Amino acid sequence: MQKTLINQRFLILFVLLLFFLVSGCSKTVENCEIKPDLERIGESAQENLENLSETELRAMKMSCGF
């Protein structure tokens, strides 16, 4: 029982350390533009002319200048 408790604590500490390491190394995103993808939304609307509630409205384009 004691050995599993030590292993659980080690695993939790290792996962937390790994999380902080990975999150600290991520590059910050700057100068990004998010625009709707009107071509894809239009194609989806044409395919679903009879039932426009099924039109895909979540299409987007994202561009960043790094």
Side-chain angles (χ1 to χ4, degrees):
M1 187 73 169
Q2 184 71 11
K3 189 173 184 177
T4 58
L5 184 62
I6 293 172
N7 286 342
Q8 287 177 346
R9 287 181 182 170
F10 175 74
L11 183 63
I12 291 171
L13 288 174
F14 180 73
V15 170
L16 286 175
L17 179 67
L18 188 63
F19 172 74
F20 285 119
L21 179 69
V22 171
S23 66
C25 295
S26 65
K27 184 176 174 113
T28 58
V29 178
E30 297 176 359
N31 301 328
C32 288
E33 296 179 8
I34 300 174
K35 298 178 183 177
D37 189 356
L38 299 177
E39 291 179 24
R40 196 163 164 198
I41 294 172
E43 289 172 2
S44 178
Q46 287 178 349
E47 291 174 2
N48 300 314
L49 283 176
E50 295 180 10
N51 189 2
L52 289 177
S53 65
E54 294 179 0
T55 302
E56 180 67 41
L57 298 174
R58 295 176 287 171
M60 67 169 213
K61 290 182 180 178
M62 182 174 173
S63 62
C64 298
F66 291 107

